[in-house]
Amino acid sequence: MKVAPSLLSADFLNLEQELISIQKAGADFLHLDIMDGHFVPNLTFGPVIIEKIAKASLLPLDIHLMVKNTLFFVDLFAPYKPRFISFHAEEEQHIHRMIQYVKSKGIGASIALNPHTPLECLDYILQDLDMVLIMSVNPGFGGQSFIPQSLEKIKRLKEKISKQNPQCLIQVDGGVNAENIDLLKTAGVDIVVAGSYIFGSKSYSQAIQSLKI
Ligand code: DX5
Ligand code: ZN
């Protein structure tokens, strides 16, 4: 299992040290939650901060867009060469075109699905995706509880992926911790995002290792 700590729960007055700590603790990616105050009722950070982070972090960047205007934000963050950009299916009108656009910039293309969004919206595009991000909480805030129905959804997604695009990764975001990691692994998850569980722990290293099963 790969682990992507979500910076949302980090100590923002101590960001450089936080980045060093999760790197040393064995994180695989750095998950960056971009919120615009429209798609979700919250705001996070923009290019000024991302530019600094991209310079300071050795970890590949995993950008999760929770925004209304996907294209604007893809263009804004593409220069920082993230490993993945996830954008929400609920918001983008031309998903197939956007996937190709993200990939044309050398970035892994990923679709994020809200808890209520059916997997059927991946029909006809799953073949083109590098990753699918299953939201296991409602997007907008860290520290929420894992929605149990997500597990069934992940298992069904794994079946679809095995048939249609075995290279495509499954990422799960929201309420991930040591209590549900075994179930997520069994369901077929490749990358877990964890914010409050990792940054709220005494030892980042122990927390990350407990997810790397
Ligand atoms: C929620 C974000 C998540 C969040 C996860 O909208 O997409 O990445 O930071 O936080 P935890 O792990 O605390 O649920
Ligand atoms: Zn996220």
Side-chain angles (χ1 to χ4, degrees), residues 9-201:
S9 294
D11 176 2
F12 274 73
L13 293 182
N14 213 352
L15 210 45
E16 190 174 16
Q17 190 50 52
E18 293 281 64
L19 291 175
I20 293 168
S21 299
I22 54 162
Q23 259 164 231
K24 279 193 189 153
D28 298 288
F29 299 95
L30 178 63
H31 185 83
L32 299 168
D33 290 298
I34 307 298
M35 304 185 188
D36 68 349
H38 295 282
F39 180 64
V40 287
N42 200 1
L43 285 166
T44 53
F45 33 83
V48 173
I49 306 278
I50 298 279
E51 187 184 353
K52 303 271 186 210
I53 288 171
K55 280 189 191 139
S57 173
L58 298 176
L59 295 174
L61 306 182
D62 169 40
I63 294 188
H64 178 192
L65 299 178
M66 285 159 275
V67 301
K68 285 252 179 211
N69 188 345
T70 300
L71 179 59
F72 173 80
F73 286 92
V74 168
D75 283 341
L76 204 55
F77 296 125
Y80 305 111
K81 302 276 172 228
R83 175 69 188 82
F84 298 106
I85 289 185
S86 298
F87 60 92
H88 272 261
E90 300 82 12
E91 207 43 59
E92 178 54 42
Q93 296 270 342
H94 303 285
I95 292 180
H96 180 271
R97 181 190 292 157
M98 187 58 71
I99 292 168
Q100 311 310 324
Y101 186 65
V102 170
K103 288 167 83 166
S104 76
K105 299 198 170 276
I107 300 165
S110 164
I111 296 284
L113 301 180
N114 276 342
H116 74 278
T117 303
L119 293 176
E120 281 62 39
C121 75
L122 299 174
D123 288 352
Y124 313 110
I125 51 168
L126 191 52
Q127 296 87 334
D128 295 330
L129 285 170
D130 296 300
M131 187 165 81
V132 176
L133 190 175
I134 297 291
M135 286 305 298
S136 42
V137 298
N138 288 295
F141 302 93
Q144 304 178 81
S145 300
F146 184 87
I147 297 173
Q149 298 92 304
S150 314
L151 215 50
E152 176 64 25
K153 194 174 183 181
I154 296 160
K155 287 181 191 160
R156 284 192 47 227
L157 174 61
K158 183 68 182 176
E159 284 172 22
K160 272 177 182 281
I161 281 183
S162 307
K163 285 185 201 140
Q164 294 181 41
N165 179 3
Q167 312 294 328
C168 180
L169 300 171
I170 301 179
Q171 183 178 72
V172 172
D173 185 4
V176 172
N177 56 41
E179 280 163 33
N180 51 32
I181 193 70
D182 287 333
L183 292 169
L184 294 172
K185 175 81 181 176
T186 309
V189 175
D190 301 289
I191 305 174
V192 284
V193 175
S196 52
Y197 173 65
I198 293 172
F199 288 103
S201 69

